[in-house]
Amino acid sequence: MAESKRFDYERSDVGIRLAGWLAAGLATFVVVTPLALPLMFPLSKKHVTPATRPALSSNAPPLEVAPRDTLEASRRDNAQSDRSYGWTDRNRGIVRVPIDRAVDLLLRKGLPGWPSS
């Protein structure tokens, strides 16, 4: 019974050379990586303090100072244009018609090329 409780061990280990090569490779990686990254990413060496403004291109949209007010104004403008007549493209003869009037016209005339019942 004493023999059945014996502990066993791994009979084949990793060779010392393989362990040495792995350690050398890891050490080389740890040393070379910080030296190589600035060469691959040269702008990363430029230190920017938080006080400087980010560089924005000329076509970048302005930041919203009061987004809720802007949204409400946009909704008011859209509601106003939905209830009024106006030119969309005067050269091509395209006009803006109030939604209620457009629905009435559509119900009376129908869609061109659409089968009527």
Side-chain angles (χ1 to χ4, degrees):
M1 198 164 220
E3 289 183 33
S4 64
K5 290 189 178 184
R6 286 181 39 200
F7 292 103
D8 204 1
Y9 58 91
E10 182 68 36
R11 301 211 184 268
S12 63
D13 287 330
V14 175
I16 191 75
R17 283 189 178 172
L18 178 60
W21 280 109
L22 288 173
L26 181 62
T28 303
F29 176 78
V30 168
V31 170
V32 170
T33 300
L35 299 174
L37 284 176
L39 297 174
M40 289 189 280
F41 302 104
L43 293 179
S44 67
K45 293 188 289 187
K46 181 180 177 184
H47 296 288
V48 179
T49 61
T52 60
R53 292 186 52 161
L56 296 175
S57 64
S58 61
N59 60 356
L63 295 177
E64 291 287 337
V65 177
R68 182 169 295 187
D69 297 338
T70 306
L71 178 62
E72 289 174 6
S74 174
R75 286 183 176 165
R76 267 194 314 274
D77 293 344
N78 287 342
Q80 172 65 26
S81 68
D82 289 347
R83 293 187 304 263
S84 65
Y85 292 91
W87 285 105
T88 300
D89 188 352
R90 189 178 291 245
N91 294 332
R92 294 192 302 174
I94 301 172
V95 295
R96 182 180 66 246
V97 180
I99 293 176
D100 295 336
R101 179 69 177 139
V103 169
D104 289 340
L105 289 172
L106 185 62
L107 289 175
R108 278 193 215 143
K109 295 181 180 180
L111 289 173
W114 189 266
S116 61
S117 54

PDB file of all heavy atoms in Angstrom, residues 24-39:
ATOM      1  N   ALA A  24      17.498  34.418 -23.336  1.00  0.00           N
ATOM      2  CA  ALA A  24      18.237  35.395 -24.139  1.00  0.00           C
ATOM      3  C   ALA A  24      17.297  36.103 -25.119  1.00  0.00           C
ATOM      4  O   ALA A  24      17.386  37.324 -25.321  1.00  0.00           O
ATOM      5  CB  ALA A  24      19.376  34.708 -24.898  1.00  0.00           C
ATOM      6  N   GLY A  25      16.386  35.380 -25.731  1.00  0.00           N
ATOM      7  CA  GLY A  25      15.420  35.986 -26.639  1.00  0.00           C
ATOM      8  C   GLY A  25      14.511  36.971 -25.930  1.00  0.00           C
ATOM      9  O   GLY A  25      14.241  38.068 -26.434  1.00  0.00           O
ATOM     10  N   LEU A  26      14.065  36.608 -24.742  1.00  0.00           N
ATOM     11  CA  LEU A  26      13.219  37.507 -23.969  1.00  0.00           C
ATOM     12  C   LEU A  26      13.990  38.754 -23.559  1.00  0.00           C
ATOM     13  O   LEU A  26      13.475  39.873 -23.660  1.00  0.00           O
ATOM     14  CB  LEU A  26      12.672  36.781 -22.734  1.00  0.00           C
ATOM     15  CG  LEU A  26      11.754  37.587 -21.842  1.00  0.00           C
ATOM     16  CD1 LEU A  26      10.501  38.010 -22.598  1.00  0.00           C
ATOM     17  CD2 LEU A  26      11.386  36.792 -20.609  1.00  0.00           C
ATOM     18  N   ALA A  27      15.205  38.599 -23.119  1.00  0.00           N
ATOM     19  CA  ALA A  27      16.024  39.749 -22.735  1.00  0.00           C
ATOM     20  C   ALA A  27      16.276  40.660 -23.935  1.00  0.00           C
ATOM     21  O   ALA A  27      16.200  41.892 -23.823  1.00  0.00           O
ATOM     22  CB  ALA A  27      17.342  39.271 -22.137  1.00  0.00           C
ATOM     23  N   THR A  28      16.560  40.069 -25.087  1.00  0.00           N
ATOM     24  CA  THR A  28      16.768  40.870 -26.292  1.00  0.00           C
ATOM     25  C   THR A  28      15.502  41.637 -26.659  1.00  0.00           C
ATOM     26  O   THR A  28      15.547  42.822 -26.988  1.00  0.00           O
ATOM     27  CB  THR A  28      17.179  39.962 -27.469  1.00  0.00           C
ATOM     28  OG1 THR A  28      18.359  39.230 -27.094  1.00  0.00           O
ATOM     29  CG2 THR A  28      17.438  40.758 -28.730  1.00  0.00           C
ATOM     30  N   PHE A  29      14.360  41.001 -26.587  1.00  0.00           N
ATOM     31  CA  PHE A  29      13.085  41.650 -26.881  1.00  0.00           C
ATOM     32  C   PHE A  29      12.843  42.828 -25.936  1.00  0.00           C
ATOM     33  O   PHE A  29      12.446  43.906 -26.367  1.00  0.00           O
ATOM     34  CB  PHE A  29      11.949  40.631 -26.779  1.00  0.00           C
ATOM     35  CG  PHE A  29      10.591  41.230 -26.979  1.00  0.00           C
ATOM     36  CD1 PHE A  29      10.132  41.530 -28.252  1.00  0.00           C
ATOM     37  CD2 PHE A  29       9.779  41.500 -25.894  1.00  0.00           C
ATOM     38  CE1 PHE A  29       8.879  42.083 -28.432  1.00  0.00           C
ATOM     39  CE2 PHE A  29       8.527  42.063 -26.068  1.00  0.00           C
ATOM     40  CZ  PHE A  29       8.072  42.356 -27.340  1.00  0.00           C
ATOM     41  N   VAL A  30      13.098  42.616 -24.648  1.00  0.00           N
ATOM     42  CA  VAL A  30      12.864  43.667 -23.652  1.00  0.00           C
ATOM     43  C   VAL A  30      13.796  44.849 -23.879  1.00  0.00           C
ATOM     44  O   VAL A  30      13.421  46.003 -23.678  1.00  0.00           O
ATOM     45  CB  VAL A  30      13.017  43.092 -22.224  1.00  0.00           C
ATOM     46  CG1 VAL A  30      13.067  44.177 -21.176  1.00  0.00           C
ATOM     47  CG2 VAL A  30      11.884  42.125 -21.933  1.00  0.00           C
ATOM     48  N   VAL A  31      15.005  44.620 -24.327  1.00  0.00           N
ATOM     49  CA  VAL A  31      15.958  45.705 -24.544  1.00  0.00           C
ATOM     50  C   VAL A  31      15.720  46.389 -25.894  1.00  0.00           C
ATOM     51  O   VAL A  31      15.767  47.618 -25.994  1.00  0.00           O
ATOM     52  CB  VAL A  31      17.410  45.164 -24.452  1.00  0.00           C
ATOM     53  CG1 VAL A  31      18.410  46.198 -24.910  1.00  0.00           C
ATOM     54  CG2 VAL A  31      17.704  44.708 -23.029  1.00  0.00           C
ATOM     55  N   VAL A  32      15.441  45.632 -26.937  1.00  0.00           N
ATOM     56  CA  VAL A  32      15.338  46.187 -28.284  1.00  0.00           C
ATOM     57  C   VAL A  32      14.017  46.918 -28.514  1.00  0.00           C
ATOM     58  O   VAL A  32      13.980  47.941 -29.203  1.00  0.00           O
ATOM     59  CB  VAL A  32      15.538  45.073 -29.338  1.00  0.00           C
ATOM     60  CG1 VAL A  32      15.203  45.545 -30.731  1.00  0.00           C
ATOM     61  CG2 VAL A  32      16.969  44.563 -29.276  1.00  0.00           C
ATOM     62  N   THR A  33      12.942  46.453 -27.932  1.00  0.00           N
ATOM     63  CA  THR A  33      11.625  47.049 -28.196  1.00  0.00           C
ATOM     64  C   THR A  33      11.570  48.539 -27.852  1.00  0.00           C
ATOM     65  O   THR A  33      11.138  49.338 -28.690  1.00  0.00           O
ATOM     66  CB  THR A  33      10.528  46.268 -27.458  1.00  0.00           C
ATOM     67  OG1 THR A  33      10.542  44.918 -27.918  1.00  0.00           O
ATOM     68  CG2 THR A  33       9.160  46.872 -27.711  1.00  0.00           C
ATOM     69  N   PRO A  34      11.975  48.986 -26.667  1.00  0.00           N
ATOM     70  CA  PRO A  34      11.916  50.426 -26.391  1.00  0.00           C
ATOM     71  C   PRO A  34      12.834  51.246 -27.292  1.00  0.00           C
ATOM     72  O   PRO A  34      12.581  52.427 -27.527  1.00  0.00           O
ATOM     73  CB  PRO A  34      12.361  50.552 -24.933  1.00  0.00           C
ATOM     74  CG  PRO A  34      12.197  49.211 -24.354  1.00  0.00           C
ATOM     75  CD  PRO A  34      12.344  48.236 -25.473  1.00  0.00           C
ATOM     76  N   LEU A  35      13.887  50.644 -27.805  1.00  0.00           N
ATOM     77  CA  LEU A  35      14.779  51.364 -28.714  1.00  0.00           C
ATOM     78  C   LEU A  35      14.210  51.434 -30.127  1.00  0.00           C
ATOM     79  O   LEU A  35      14.437  52.409 -30.845  1.00  0.00           O
ATOM     80  CB  LEU A  35      16.154  50.685 -28.742  1.00  0.00           C
ATOM     81  CG  LEU A  35      16.897  50.645 -27.399  1.00  0.00           C
ATOM     82  CD1 LEU A  35      18.173  49.818 -27.540  1.00  0.00           C
ATOM     83  CD2 LEU A  35      17.203  52.043 -26.911  1.00  0.00           C
ATOM     84  N   ALA A  36      13.445  50.426 -30.537  1.00  0.00           N
ATOM     85  CA  ALA A  36      12.927  50.374 -31.902  1.00  0.00           C
ATOM     86  C   ALA A  36      11.626  51.151 -32.068  1.00  0.00           C
ATOM     87  O   ALA A  36      11.351  51.678 -33.140  1.00  0.00           O
ATOM     88  CB  ALA A  36      12.711  48.926 -32.312  1.00  0.00           C
ATOM     89  N   LEU A  37      10.804  51.241 -31.024  1.00  0.00           N
ATOM     90  CA  LEU A  37       9.512  51.906 -31.162  1.00  0.00           C
ATOM     91  C   LEU A  37       9.618  53.377 -31.554  1.00  0.00           C
ATOM     92  O   LEU A  37       8.859  53.832 -32.412  1.00  0.00           O
ATOM     93  CB  LEU A  37       8.697  51.744 -29.878  1.00  0.00           C
ATOM     94  CG  LEU A  37       8.074  50.359 -29.697  1.00  0.00           C
ATOM     95  CD1 LEU A  37       7.370  50.266 -28.353  1.00  0.00           C
ATOM     96  CD2 LEU A  37       7.121  50.034 -30.813  1.00  0.00           C
ATOM     97  N   PRO A  38      10.518  54.181 -30.972  1.00  0.00           N
ATOM     98  CA  PRO A  38      10.623  55.566 -31.438  1.00  0.00           C
ATOM     99  C   PRO A  38      11.065  55.686 -32.897  1.00  0.00           C
ATOM    100  O   PRO A  38      10.727  56.661 -33.566  1.00  0.00           O
ATOM    101  CB  PRO A  38      11.671  56.188 -30.514  1.00  0.00           C
ATOM    102  CG  PRO A  38      11.653  55.348 -29.302  1.00  0.00           C
ATOM    103  CD  PRO A  38      11.311  53.967 -29.778  1.00  0.00           C
ATOM    104  N   LEU A  39      11.776  54.705 -33.409  1.00  0.00           N
ATOM    105  CA  LEU A  39      12.155  54.735 -34.815  1.00  0.00           C
ATOM    106  C   LEU A  39      10.947  54.446 -35.705  1.00  0.00           C
ATOM    107  O   LEU A  39      10.821  55.003 -36.793  1.00  0.00           O
ATOM    108  CB  LEU A  39      13.265  53.724 -35.092  1.00  0.00           C
ATOM    109  CG  LEU A  39      14.591  53.984 -34.356  1.00  0.00           C
ATOM    110  CD1 LEU A  39      15.548  52.835 -34.610  1.00  0.00           C
ATOM    111  CD2 LEU A  39      15.185  55.299 -34.795  1.00  0.00           C
TER     112      LEU A  39
END
